[in-house]
Amino acid sequence: MNLPNPHTPVLTSRLPRVGTTIFTVMSTLASETGAVNLGQGFPDFDCDPALVNAVTAAMQAGHNQYPPMPGILPLRQAMAAKVEALYGLRCDPSTEITVTAGATQAILTALLAVVHPGDEVIVLEPCYDSYVPNIELAGGIPVRVSLTPGSFRPDFGRIAAAITPRTRALIINSPHNPSGMVWSESDMLALQALLAPTDVLLISDEVYEHMVFDGQPHQSAARFPGLAARAFIVSSFGKTYHVTGWKVGTVIAPATLTAEFRKVHQFNVFTVNTPMQHALAAYMVDPAPYRDLPAFYQRKRDLFRAGLASTRFRLLPGEGTYFQCVDISGLSVPERDLPEADFCQWLTREIGVAAIPLSAFYGDGFDQRVIRFCFAKRDDTLQQALQRLARL
Ligand code: PMP
Ligand code: GLN
């Protein structure tokens, strides 16, 4: 910029340690190099055309002005019906469900609503990259607790040890990005027992709730009364209906928590785009799309895992989500010894497949020789990636 007044105001960053997200970095590199993008988590296939038609119909019907602040009632009612049918939780759509601009906004808004400066918020690492900066923006102190190394299972001894009188909230995420692990019923019961004598709130990030494989049920916090009573339960239509770019999600929380959530939400985004809400409400009448999603993604997981099984990548378990983690330490190439992040850059540029280093999900950049692939891709995309990966 060539401005007449050269004085530049001094600015102290609110997030001094934050750069551009790894997902944006790797997607940009994949498109610059023409690599198959198995990095950032999003489908490379389209959503159901009926859903797109429903948006068009909503726009043509004149649903183009501000919706009510908490979201249109039919969508909140559809969510309430679904959560009761699937998880047995009865919630009031008028006071306990809010439509958000995706899960990312939901989590930030929940934190801004409940965290006072100096409050501690526990995250379980590796964790989605927005959590810690969100806690910091709310003035909170992130407390990082490691999931069990190797298995990524929750370690309740470590979680218990991290709880102090300053702990305001704990963020959990099952099915888990990036590891693909899924919390069991006994995990959720252990968490319920642990939190029972405390005032710790729970933010349960359940955006992959319909991607749990091998016949396991999703153990939503909504199934556990002691957790639901203290939880913001976060869902995202982006994952469930293959529309990550729509950025529409929901938060379910008891009325007292929802009231605080909405105080922030109304001055944060105020509302979420109207035609998409109408389309989603109409589309949700049919349970088939989310009922059939586990089988849809399980087939892709199996295809991708079968292809990787004959390579030197070591497969980690994958119980849920559309991510598959692999250990790179047994590869035949010398680049296997690069730090994970550099290895992913090399893999994208030289082998033509983009992936995400697990170190990006740790505050201290912990490097365990593991990278993450996204298999929410057309079969031919996965086959092309597998052909390239077989060279290693
Ligand atoms: N949480 C997790 C664990 C995620 O993987 C994602 C995916 N982007 C989000 C939250 C954000 O979802 P949304 O796109 O609805 O904001
Ligand atoms: N959740 C997606 C992932 O983990 C990416 C979302 C984003 O780009 N912020 O890949």
Side-chain angles (χ1 to χ4, degrees), residues 251-326:
V251 170
I252 296 181
T256 46
L257 293 182
T258 294
E260 292 304 313
F261 183 93
R262 290 180 182 174
K263 286 183 193 175
V264 179
H265 178 79
Q266 67 185 345
F267 296 133
N268 181 347
V269 291
F270 178 48
T271 52
V272 176
N273 68 79
T274 311
M276 264 67 171
Q277 292 193 51
H278 283 276
L280 288 164
Y283 194 69
M284 279 184 77
V285 170
D286 180 6
Y290 59 80
R291 194 193 53 210
D292 298 343
L293 204 63
F296 174 82
Y297 273 122
Q298 184 170 326
R299 195 191 63 76
K300 287 196 180 291
R301 178 202 64 171
D302 292 346
L303 184 158
F304 191 55
R305 282 180 70 91
L308 284 174
S310 55
T311 70
R312 290 170 189 263
F313 288 99
R314 187 172 65 78
L315 285 161
L316 273 61
E319 301 178 349
T321 75
Y322 48 43
F323 301 117
Q324 175 64 53
C325 287
V326 293

Side-chain angles (χ1 to χ4, degrees), residues 312 328-340 343 346 367 369:
R312 290 170 189 263
I328 59 173
S329 52
L331 297 183
S332 60
V333 290
E335 287 79 6
R336 68 173 188 207
D337 296 325
L338 289 170
E340 286 168 9
F343 177 83
W346 174 81
D367 189 315
R369 322 307 306 134

Side-chain angles (χ1 to χ4, degrees), residues 23 41 101-107 127-128 130-131 173 175-178 205-208 234-239 244-245 247-249 322-323 361 372:
F23 310 114
T104 312
Q105 182 238 318
I107 294 163
C127 67
Y128 187 56
S130 74
Y131 298 168
N173 168 223
H176 181 239
N177 180 8
D205 179 347
E206 303 187 9
V207 299
Y208 300 104
V234 177
S235 296
S236 172
F237 295 107
K239 318 285 168 188
T244 60
K247 300 296 292 186
V248 185
Y322 48 43
F323 301 117
F361 297 81
R372 187 198 83 177

Side-chain angles (χ1 to χ4, degrees), residues 12 29 36 53 62 68 112 114 123 170 180 188 207 248 275-276 280 290 300 324 331 334 339 353 380 384:
T12 306
L29 186 63
V36 181
N53 292 341
L112 290 172
V114 301
V123 298
L170 161 69
M188 298 302 279
V207 299
V248 185
M276 264 67 171
L280 288 164
Y290 59 80
K300 287 196 180 291
Q324 175 64 53
L331 297 183
V353 181
D380 61 309
Q384 194 187 11

Side-chain angles (χ1 to χ4, degrees), residues 3-325:
L3 300 174
N5 178 355
H7 177 72
T8 309
V10 175
L11 179 67
T12 306
S13 175
R14 294 287 315 278
L15 296 172
R17 287 177 299 282
V18 166
T20 305
T21 82
I22 187 70
F23 310 114
T24 303
V25 169
M26 294 315 297
S27 279
T28 306
L29 186 63
S31 80
E32 279 169 9
T33 56
V36 181
N37 189 358
L38 303 192
Q40 189 178 21
F42 65 91
D44 74 343
F45 44 85
D46 222 339
C47 67
D48 185 346
L51 194 49
V52 175
N53 292 341
V55 177
T56 307
M59 288 179 167
Q60 285 171 341
H63 295 302
N64 299 304
Q65 307 309 326
Y66 293 130
M69 182 272 279
I72 64 162
L73 191 57
L75 183 54
R76 287 182 279 137
Q77 286 168 330
M79 271 312 279
K82 178 177 147 183
V83 165
E84 183 170 3
L86 293 183
Y87 309 131
L89 179 72
R90 297 192 72 164
C91 56
D92 181 345
S94 59
T95 57
E96 298 182 318
I97 303 183
T98 310
V99 179
T100 60
T104 312
Q105 182 238 318
I107 294 163
L108 174 61
T109 300
L111 288 164
L112 290 172
V114 301
V115 173
H116 289 257
D119 284 355
E120 294 171 3
V121 180
I122 300 174
V123 298
L124 306 180
E125 284 193 325
C127 67
Y128 187 56
D129 67 345
S130 74
Y131 298 168
V132 166
N134 283 183
I135 294 164
E136 289 172 345
L137 287 173
I141 299 168
V143 176
R144 303 162 196 273
V145 174
S146 181
L147 291 165
T148 307
S151 73
F152 301 101
R153 304 226 68 90
D155 178 333
F156 291 100
R158 289 189 200 206
I159 300 172
I163 295 177
T164 75
R166 296 307 306 265
T167 308
R168 178 67 285 189
L170 161 69
I171 307 181
I172 63 169
N173 168 223
S174 174
H176 181 239
N177 180 8
S179 73
M181 296 307 284
V182 167
W183 285 36
S184 65
E185 182 183 22
S186 62
D187 291 330
M188 298 302 279
L189 288 170
L191 182 66
Q192 183 170 248
L194 178 65
L195 298 186
T198 75
D199 289 321
V200 175
L201 300 174
L202 183 67
I203 298 178
S204 186
D205 179 347
E206 303 187 9
V207 299
Y208 300 104
E209 67 191 303
H210 298 297
M211 296 172 210
V212 184
F213 309 135
D214 306 314
Q216 284 193 73
H218 169 57
Q219 298 295 347
S220 173
R223 292 182 189 269
F224 302 87
L227 294 177
R230 63 177 73 234
F232 294 95
I233 299 173
V234 177
S235 296
S236 172
F237 295 107
K239 318 285 168 188
T240 304
Y241 293 143
H242 315 306
V243 289
T244 60
W246 286 16
K247 300 296 292 186
V248 185
T250 58
V251 170
I252 296 181
T256 46
L257 293 182
T258 294
E260 292 304 313
F261 183 93
R262 290 180 182 174
K263 286 183 193 175
V264 179
H265 178 79
Q266 67 185 345
F267 296 133
N268 181 347
V269 291
F270 178 48
T271 52
V272 176
N273 68 79
T274 311
M276 264 67 171
Q277 292 193 51
H278 283 276
L280 288 164
Y283 194 69
M284 279 184 77
V285 170
D286 180 6
Y290 59 80
R291 194 193 53 210
D292 298 343
L293 204 63
F296 174 82
Y297 273 122
Q298 184 170 326
R299 195 191 63 76
K300 287 196 180 291
R301 178 202 64 171
D302 292 346
L303 184 158
F304 191 55
R305 282 180 70 91
L308 284 174
S310 55
T311 70
R312 290 170 189 263
F313 288 99
R314 187 172 65 78
L315 285 161
L316 273 61
E319 301 178 349
T321 75
Y322 48 43
F323 301 117
Q324 175 64 53
C325 287

